Amino acid sequence: HPVQTQTVSYVIQARLEGLASLFMLAVLYTFVKAVQSNTNARYTWWAACMLLAVISCGTKEIVIMTPFLVIIVDWFFLAQGTWASFKQRILFHIVFTLLFLALMTHYMGSHMVGDVIQLKAATGNNRGNILTPQTFDVVLPFQFLISEFKVVVHYLTMFVWPFDISVEYDWKAATSFFQADVIFPLLLLLSLFIGMVVYFFDRTKHAIIFGLLWFFIIMAPRTTIIPSPELVCDYKTYLASAGIMFLLAIVLVYMVNFLATIIRESAWAAQVVAWPLEFLLITAFMLPVGYSAYSRNLVWKSCVGFWQDNVQKAPLKARAHNNLGVALCEAGKIDDAIREYQAAINLDGYYSDPLSNIAVAFSLKGDTDKAIDSLKAAINICPNYPEAYNNLGSLLLQKKCYDDAERALKFAIALRPYYGKAFYNLARLFEEKNDHQQSWTYLKKATKGDLDVPEVFFKLGQMSLRVQKYKEAVQAFETILKKGCTDQQVWFNLANASFMDKDYDYAEKIYQRLARDYPLDGRYAYNLGETYIIKNEHVRAYEMFKKVTQLPQPIPQAFLRVANCLEHMDKVDDAKKYLDGLLAFNAPDDFKKIVRAEIVRIDLQHKVNTQHGSVALGDIKKSMAMLQKKGA
């Protein structure tokens, strides 16, 4: 059904509603099993029922209606509407209801329950969703009750006529009992209640009464005297709609049987007697419902399409315009997003979110000053707005206003101590100020907050290398890999960090794999060669550096390292010959200077090695003169 698929698509509420529904249905199931079981198993089922009831109290407030659902399930299905059977369990119902209400009072707080009973509960408006004539008016219990009459009728009818349903509605709270949209829905609901009372003891109507009672019982906490800043939310019917679906199933079965009987009794019945009429008729009824669900779900294909649908159906709701602006901004339609943000600002002058969001849009267009002004306006409306302070700090950072940016970002963190984005922006700030130690500290805090994403760990790893915290660098890059990122640059940085941390064996394994998988990237083979040198494996190092020099884009330093390996392999003449050969290439002058210097160094070092660690002053002067002569 389109309403139900919409509820499930609303992921957050589907989880919350789903968890509460799971336990409420589990309590009902174990209660039925307890009543129907024999003596040996009955007590187990009773215990399970009570345990599930206790656990359910920790899910969502709507579970407070569970005892009343247990009562109607017992009356209509187990007792079959007979008092003699029902009264056998009356003591259980009394104890269970009192225990449940006591638990819910404990969880919700006696003060809240007292306010509800005394009709003192009140609520303000949500940002971007103004229900009252004035932004800062409160919604009182009686006002909320009379406003919900039309909402309940909407909830009932949308399952029969699932058109113009939406996640956002721009309905307003009633200001008088004598409004048409209060009186007429009330009369319709009273008619339903009177009919339920009249036919309550009529067993032929039990299924209908049960379906309606199920719906009204579950909806009661949300549509009576407990005010909510959200007047209408279709997801609230998630479990309650089972009652309406039950009624629709009864109607469907009746109509299918009625039409099948008429067809079979018609003059041409002999021609259709073998047809699966019930199946065909049910299909004929269900196809339109399936098509309507499919059509409705197309709205969820994209964020922009989804919020455009909401804006069309709730043009006076600031929150819908703001969220459409966010979707458009993410889609790269910045000018369209700005128009939607401006519409939200015009509809609700005290709504800070579109001011903060329009600042982001202005900054994307390069209009930093307008963005800063918008954020300051947002903070003026909502002083405790961490996102606005973070965005303001980021923009001030762009303008190099470091002191003001630092104050804004630290204020964001004071409001939300785990605010990873603010910590990350502080890290950027101190990096720009060349205070790498402070930058590292804030990056570490960002990953411990709510920004433990691979990109931040990558930045933390790089900064750890910069401040020589090599173990922390290894941990950062390993964390990225554990999060499922297998980018070769992450592996390369992990190998480098391990090398700097003197874990040469670990670094060697990573370099080997990278050099094997990416043979044309000389960095991996070169660093593997460096690892072999540090491990005094000069033959293997020579092979790696030689391989690097043969690549289409060799690393210049690799040529010098080839000679260095030959030198350590006691092949000094080969090393000098190799370097002399480099001078014959069409190489840059600066490189040739380095090669000449290396030839002189090797020659001098060889004399030191062959003369028991000493060298004559004349040899040093001769080497220096040779360097000057060759311009090295």
Side-chain angles (χ1 to χ4, degrees):
H1 194 284
V3 177
Q4 292 291 45
T5 57
Q6 172 170 290
T7 301
V8 173
S9 298
Y10 197 0
V11 177
I12 295 174
Q13 289 302 338
R15 290 174 179 169
L16 296 172
E17 295 289 313
L19 192 62
S21 299
L22 170 68
F23 280 101
M24 294 171 77
L25 293 173
V27 169
L28 291 174
Y29 176 76
T30 50
F31 168 75
V32 171
K33 295 294 290 186
V35 173
Q36 293 180 336
S37 297
N38 57 36
T39 306
N40 294 330
R42 183 172 299 174
Y43 295 109
T44 302
W45 286 112
W46 284 125
C49 180
M50 298 301 290
L51 177 62
L52 288 167
V54 172
I55 296 173
S56 71
C57 293
T59 58
K60 202 170 184 180
E61 292 84 350
I62 60 168
V63 299
I64 199 170
M65 305 311 292
T66 304
F68 304 101
L69 295 180
V70 172
I71 290 172
I72 65 170
V73 166
D74 190 350
W75 175 259
F76 288 108
F77 293 104
L78 298 175
Q80 294 287 310
T82 59
W83 174 250
S85 174
F86 182 78
K87 71 178 182 180
Q88 295 176 14
R89 293 174 292 278
I90 193 71
L91 181 61
F92 167 82
H93 290 303
I94 293 172
V95 173
F96 184 75
T97 302
L98 291 175
L99 173 63
F100 213 93
L101 294 178
L103 283 170
M104 290 304 296
T105 300
H106 169 73
Y107 278 115
M108 293 190 296
S110 57
H111 180 73
M112 176 183 173
V113 174
D115 286 346
V116 171
I117 294 173
Q118 299 175 59
L119 300 181
K120 291 182 179 180
T123 185
N125 288 292
N126 267 347
R127 293 183 298 179
N129 181 37
I130 305 302
L131 304 179
T132 57
Q134 302 298 323
T135 302
F136 296 106
D137 288 345
V138 295
V139 181
L140 298 172
F142 179 74
Q143 181 185 17
F144 185 76
L145 173 65
I146 64 176
S147 301
E148 285 294 303
F149 295 154
K150 64 179 180 181
V151 174
V152 174
V153 172
H154 162 72
Y155 288 154
L156 286 168
T157 57
M158 70 181 181
F159 290 99
V160 181
W161 189 255
F163 302 100
D164 294 327
I165 57 177
S166 177
V167 172
E168 295 279 10
Y169 295 89
D170 56 5
W171 296 9
K172 302 296 182 183
T175 55
S176 169
F177 179 79
F178 298 101
Q179 292 178 204
D181 61 354
V182 174
I183 294 294
F184 289 113
L186 174 60
L187 292 175
L188 179 60
L189 293 174
L190 285 175
S191 300
L192 276 174
F193 287 132
I194 291 170
M196 289 164 60
V197 172
V198 170
Y199 292 106
F200 187 81
F201 293 100
D202 185 346
R203 293 192 183 183
T204 62
K205 305 293 189 302
H206 269 189
I208 296 172
I209 304 302
F210 171 79
L212 290 172
L213 275 176
W214 176 281
F215 176 83
F216 286 118
I217 286 172
I218 295 177
M219 293 307 301
R222 292 164 153 173
T223 57
T224 51
I225 58 172
I226 305 176
S228 167
E230 300 294 333
L231 197 63
V232 50
C233 291
D234 292 348
Y235 76 79
K236 293 180 179 180
T237 64
Y238 183 64
L239 181 59
S241 65
I244 305 302
M245 297 298 182
F246 187 68
L247 294 177
L248 292 177
I250 293 170
V251 173
L252 179 61
V253 170
Y254 175 80
M255 292 180 66
V256 166
N257 288 334
F258 178 75
L259 291 174
T261 301
I262 290 177
I263 294 172
R264 288 197 173 103
E265 292 176 352
S266 65
W268 42 280
Q271 301 176 30
V272 299
V273 68
W275 291 9
L277 282 177
E278 286 80 6
F279 173 77
L280 293 174
L281 290 168
I282 287 175
T283 302
F285 281 113
M286 297 306 295
L287 281 175
V289 179
Y291 179 75
S292 65
Y294 172 78
S295 300
R296 173 60 190 165
N297 291 348
L298 290 177
V299 171
W300 297 77
K301 284 181 64 176
S302 70
C303 288
V304 172
F306 172 77
W307 286 110
Q308 282 176 337
D309 177 75
N310 281 281
V311 165
Q312 289 172 4
K313 294 171 180 175
L316 301 179
K317 193 161 192 175
R319 188 167 62 195
H321 285 281
N322 175 69
N323 291 351
L324 175 56
V326 172
L328 288 166
C329 195
E330 290 176 348
K333 300 178 180 179
I334 309 301
D335 291 330
D336 292 338
I338 290 174
R339 280 193 290 273
E340 291 301 326
Y341 292 141
Q342 194 59 59
I345 293 166
N346 294 339
L347 286 168
D348 185 353
Y350 294 96
Y351 187 19
S352 55
D353 282 6
L355 285 165
S356 178
N357 291 331
I358 203 172
V360 174
F362 283 138
S363 68
L364 290 173
K365 293 190 69 176
D367 200 338
T368 306
D369 291 332
K370 273 189 179 181
I372 290 174
D373 290 341
S374 297
L375 285 170
K376 288 180 177 178
I379 291 169
N380 187 50
I381 293 171
C382 183
N384 299 325
Y385 193 0
E387 290 87 356
Y389 281 104
N390 174 64
N391 291 342
L392 178 60
S394 180
L395 291 172
L396 290 168
L397 179 57
Q398 289 181 24
K399 298 192 71 174
K400 309 297 182 184
C401 299
Y402 295 126
D403 292 340
D404 292 339
E406 184 177 351
R407 278 193 293 271
L409 292 170
K410 286 185 175 179
F411 203 92
I413 292 168
L415 292 170
R416 185 183 296 169
Y418 54 88
Y419 198 0
K421 287 183 178 179
F423 282 121
Y424 183 75
N425 283 330
L426 274 172
R428 288 174 51 218
L429 184 151
F430 282 103
E431 183 180 12
E432 287 192 17
K433 294 174 70 174
N434 291 318
D435 189 341
H436 296 147
Q437 182 59 51
Q438 277 284 67
S439 179
W440 181 89
T441 300
Y442 284 116
L443 282 170
K444 189 76 173 177
K445 289 182 178 180
T447 60
K448 291 184 178 297
D450 57 1
L451 200 64
D452 56 339
V453 296
E455 294 78 8
V456 180
F457 276 105
F458 188 82
K459 186 71 175 176
L460 174 63
Q462 290 181 314
M463 189 58 69
S464 297
L465 289 172
R466 191 175 294 180
V467 297
Q468 300 181 8
K469 293 180 181 290
Y470 302 124
K471 289 189 184 299
E472 286 81 355
V474 170
Q475 292 172 0
F477 294 124
E478 285 182 334
T479 301
I480 299 172
L481 296 172
K482 289 176 183 177
K483 290 180 175 291
C485 178
T486 57
D487 184 80
Q488 66 189 81
Q489 187 62 43
V490 177
W491 281 107
F492 186 48
N493 285 0
L494 173 59
N496 293 340
S498 301
F499 182 92
M500 300 303 293
D501 194 39
K502 299 182 180 180
D503 190 349
Y504 303 120
D505 292 336
Y506 188 31
E508 178 185 342
K509 290 179 182 178
I510 300 173
Y511 288 138
Q512 283 177 340
R513 186 174 62 79
L514 289 171
R516 182 194 66 225
D517 294 344
Y518 306 97
L520 296 180
D521 194 328
R523 297 176 301 163
Y524 309 138
Y526 182 88
N527 282 22
L528 179 57
E530 292 289 349
T531 307
Y532 288 145
I533 283 181
I534 206 75
K535 295 176 71 175
N536 291 317
E537 298 178 16
H538 294 99
V539 175
R540 299 177 74 185
Y542 170 80
E543 293 171 354
M544 282 297 108
F545 291 128
K546 192 71 175 176
K547 184 182 295 185
V548 176
T549 63
Q550 295 168 355
L551 292 175
Q553 293 182 333
I555 298 174
Q557 187 65 22
F559 293 95
L560 302 178
R561 297 308 261 167
V562 168
N564 185 253
C565 289
L566 289 170
E567 179 186 5
H568 282 85
M569 293 160 60
D570 293 328
K571 298 181 178 181
V572 176
D573 291 338
D574 290 343
K576 292 165 65 177
K577 184 178 179 181
Y578 177 79
L579 291 173
D580 284 334
L582 294 179
L583 295 175
F585 288 120
N586 185 22
D589 291 340
D590 289 342
F591 179 72
K592 288 185 176 182
K593 288 180 180 180
I594 295 172
V595 171
R596 293 188 187 103
E598 185 67 5
I599 292 172
V600 173
R601 185 200 64 77
I602 290 176
D603 187 63
L604 187 62
Q605 183 65 50
H606 180 64
K607 290 179 179 178
V608 171
N609 294 339
T610 56
Q611 296 177 18
H612 308 291
S614 63
V615 63
L617 182 60
D619 289 334
I620 296 177
K621 290 181 178 180
K622 184 178 178 181
S623 297
M624 294 298 294
M626 188 180 299
L627 287 174
Q628 290 177 354
K629 181 180 179 182
K630 294 183 177 182

